[in-house]
Amino acid sequence: MLMKSTRGLKSIEKPEKIYLDNPNLLFTSKADTGTIRETFFINQLSKDHEVVAPKSGDFLVDEKYTFEIGGKNKSFHQIKDIPNSFVASDDIERGFSNRIPLWLFGFLY
């Protein structure tokens, strides 16, 4: 579950989003590509990091890093004014600037 916060009373409120624990389970149906990407990302990072829903972007990791998840053409528009913000892009082999290949997060698990 993706919550707004993991501290205080906000941790018992309704979650922002609910993700399956294993992204492979999404391939039993016609799942949206964006959902598969986000499920993979949160699955890899939530093991050792605190992941919550930010005001802008898709994920806030350890209250410091903001991530937007998308394909190779995903822009920085939603997170352009946020410090420590990154785009985790699918369908790219190498990162550049603040763009990180999504597959690299698989090494964190």
Side-chain angles (χ1 to χ4, degrees):
M1 291 187 291
L2 183 65
M3 307 299 282
K4 290 180 184 175
S5 174
T6 59
R7 299 198 174 133
L9 292 177
K10 293 211 182 262
S11 66
I12 60 173
E13 289 181 356
K14 181 178 89 172
E16 287 292 307
K17 292 184 180 181
I18 297 175
Y19 293 100
L20 291 175
D21 186 47
N22 184 347
N24 291 325
L25 297 174
L26 293 170
F27 289 103
T28 60
S29 66
K30 294 185 181 199
D32 177 57
T33 304
T35 301
I36 295 170
R37 291 171 178 152
E38 290 180 2
T39 302
F40 173 77
F41 182 86
I42 195 167
N43 175 267
Q44 301 306 299
L45 268 81
S46 62
K47 177 181 172 285
D48 293 325
H49 301 275
E50 179 182 299
V51 182
V52 296
K55 292 179 182 170
S56 294
D58 289 327
F59 301 102
L60 179 64
V61 179
D62 295 334
E63 296 182 10
K64 184 175 182 180
Y65 304 105
T66 303
F67 286 91
E68 182 70 28
I69 313 300
K72 63 182 175 184
N73 297 321
K74 182 69 176 181
S75 70
F76 286 86
H77 177 71
Q78 291 175 297
I79 57 173
K80 65 181 177 185
D81 297 328
I82 301 173
N84 296 316
S85 60
F86 303 89
V87 171
S89 295
D90 196 10
D91 302 324
I92 64 170
E93 293 181 18
R94 288 176 282 157
F96 52 93
S97 185
N98 285 13
R99 187 176 299 275
I100 303 169
L102 186 60
W103 63 267
L104 280 177
F105 291 97
F107 289 111
L108 295 176
Y109 191 78

